[in-house]
């Protein structure tokens, strides 16, 4: 099963459900959809309740983009907990996105977020990725391993965790890793997780960073990838559908 997960970031108003409607219609018409892939969309917090109701019995699953790292309720002005989001019928949550890390989210906070989200029965999409400097210094794998080890404990149910490998230098820049580089990193991430957490199955791994209808073609043949986390191109139904079409052609 492959995943096409859209991250709208700070985009969308109530009428933007029309974008998802079009994607949903495509999914319903596409004969391979049910067996081959899932679509998950992460609109901003303001749209979660409306979208999760609208798409409840449809084919698009709804994800939150973040959540608070402790408590169900508390004196935390401006924040919402996974407990509160789960009550909206939302079942996926993105944690540790590089944009959240850049605005002060530490690995300790991310660890707590993962833990609390799993306790609330979410599917966690955990983002990891190296920056330009770490890549230049050949510290990519070291960085990724540290990010994984510092956020995931042994006892976690890996069937509820999806790792999204998103090189920071690739997010929103139009730059993507070469086929060879991404395949190497994807293999290394999966191997590391399988060994470290003694898994009998392969963990799920997505790639994210400037995925569009053209770049997706470069990655089509990387079997280690279980799908894509798509930022900019998920804001247009046409661009998002073209990614899926081009992946399967
Ligand atoms: C993202 O924000 O997770 C992302 C991958 O963005 P983009 O596709 O725009 O690079």
């Amino acid at each position: 099963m492959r995943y096409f997960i859209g991250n709208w970031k700070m985009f969308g108003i109530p009428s933007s459900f029309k974008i998802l409607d079009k994607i949903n219609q495509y999914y319903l018409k596409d004969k391979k959809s049910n067996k081959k892939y899932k679509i998950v969309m992460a609109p901003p917090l303001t749209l979660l309740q409306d979208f999760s109701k609208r798409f409840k019995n449809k084919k698009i699953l709804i994800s939150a983009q973040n959540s608070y790292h402790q408590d169900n309720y508390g004196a935390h002005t401006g924040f919402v907990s996974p407990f509160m989001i789960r009550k909206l019928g939302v079942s996926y949550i993105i944690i540790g996105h590089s944009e959240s890390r850049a605005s002060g989210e530490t690995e300790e906070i991310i660890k707590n977020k993962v833990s609390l989200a799993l306790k609330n029965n979410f599917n966690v999409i955990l983002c990891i990725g190296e920056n330009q400097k770490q890549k230049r210094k050949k510290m990519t794998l070291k960085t990724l391993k540290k990010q994984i080890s510092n956020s995931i404990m042994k006892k976690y149910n890996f069937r509820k965790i999806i790792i999204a490998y998103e090189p920071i230098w690739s997010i929103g820049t139009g730059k993507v890793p070469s086929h060879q580089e991404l395949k190497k990193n994807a293999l290394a991430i999966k191997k590391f997780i399988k060994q470290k957490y003694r898994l009998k199955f392969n963990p799920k791994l997505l790639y994210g960073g400037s995925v569009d209808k053209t770049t997706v073609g470069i990655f089509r043949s990387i079997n280690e990838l279980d799908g894509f986390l798509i930022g900019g191109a998920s804001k247009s139904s046409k661009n998002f559908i073209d990614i899926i079409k081009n992946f399967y052609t």
Side-chain angles (χ1 to χ4, degrees):
M1 179 63 74
R2 284 217 156 68
Y3 291 80
F4 293 87
I5 303 186
N7 174 17
W8 276 10
K9 313 188 188 200
M10 198 168 75
F11 165 83
I13 52 176
S15 60
S16 310
F17 76 86
K18 290 177 195 154
I19 299 170
L20 291 201
D21 254 351
K22 287 190 187 136
I23 296 172
N24 191 59
Q25 278 162 27
Y26 173 78
Y27 189 92
L28 292 176
K29 274 195 295 187
D30 187 3
K31 298 220 166 34
K32 58 192 165 311
S33 57
N34 258 332
K35 290 193 189 87
K36 285 203 167 164
Y37 64 91
K38 280 188 187 180
I39 293 178
V40 183
M41 202 56 82
L45 202 53
T46 45
L47 300 177
L48 284 181
Q49 179 161 26
D50 181 27
F51 283 18
S52 84
K53 269 195 197 147
R54 275 181 197 277
F55 292 93
K56 193 170 177 202
N57 295 316
K58 300 196 176 155
K59 292 296 179 183
I60 296 184
L61 298 157
I62 302 296
S63 173
Q65 295 179 12
N66 208 342
S67 64
Y68 198 57
H69 61 286
Q70 57 188 22
D71 308 329
N72 291 344
Y73 291 142
H76 310 299
T77 305
F79 292 93
V80 288
S81 65
F83 167 79
M84 292 155 78
I85 300 171
R86 195 71 183 92
K87 293 287 174 203
L88 305 177
V90 173
S91 52
Y92 284 77
I93 195 159
I94 296 173
I95 293 180
H97 193 281
S98 61
E99 287 154 13
S100 317
R101 290 180 193 252
S103 58
E105 219 171 63
T106 62
E107 281 183 346
E108 180 70 17
I109 292 176
I110 292 168
K111 185 177 102 184
N112 291 333
K113 286 190 181 200
V114 172
S115 162
L116 201 54
L118 290 173
K119 269 189 203 141
N120 283 278
N121 204 23
F122 273 97
N123 295 290
V124 168
I125 303 156
L126 175 70
C127 300
I128 58 170
E130 82 285 4
N131 62 27
Q132 185 72 66
K133 193 171 161 201
Q134 288 158 335
K135 176 175 159 60
R136 207 177 44 242
K137 290 186 159 182
K138 305 211 179 314
M139 284 170 58
T140 297
L141 287 181
K142 193 174 167 205
T143 305
L144 303 177
K145 287 177 185 176
K146 181 172 163 287
Q147 288 171 340
I148 294 166
S149 309
N150 286 348
S151 358
I152 301 180
M153 315 310 278
K154 279 217 164 55
K155 57 178 192 226
Y156 291 166
N157 177 4
F158 251 93
R159 303 228 181 249
K160 303 282 282 181
I161 300 174
I162 301 172
I163 303 291
Y165 170 47
E166 301 207 301
I168 298 171
W169 51 268
S170 172
I171 295 178
T173 60
K175 290 185 199 151
V176 292
S178 67
H179 178 281
Q180 193 190 13
E181 191 182 355
L182 182 55
K183 188 171 171 77
K184 185 184 101 209
N185 289 344
L187 254 169
I189 295 167
K190 283 198 158 174
K191 190 171 164 214
F192 174 73
I193 293 175
K194 252 186 121 170
Q195 281 176 356
K196 181 173 173 66
Y197 299 95
R198 303 209 173 107
L199 301 187
K200 296 205 169 61
F201 55 92
N202 274 317
K204 290 191 265 297
L205 179 70
L206 312 181
Y207 167 74
S210 296
V211 174
D212 61 23
K213 65 178 179 189
T214 313
T215 56
V216 78
I218 308 173
F219 307 131
R220 206 171 19 221
S221 62
I222 304 183
N223 291 331
E224 288 75 18
L225 294 179
D226 301 285
F228 300 92
L229 182 53
I230 302 154
S234 68
K235 295 186 285 188
S236 139
S237 52
K238 180 172 181 333
N239 289 346
F240 194 80
I241 292 167
D242 279 351
I243 289 173
I244 299 174
K245 281 186 183 160
N246 284 4
F247 183 81
Y248 287 110
T249 51

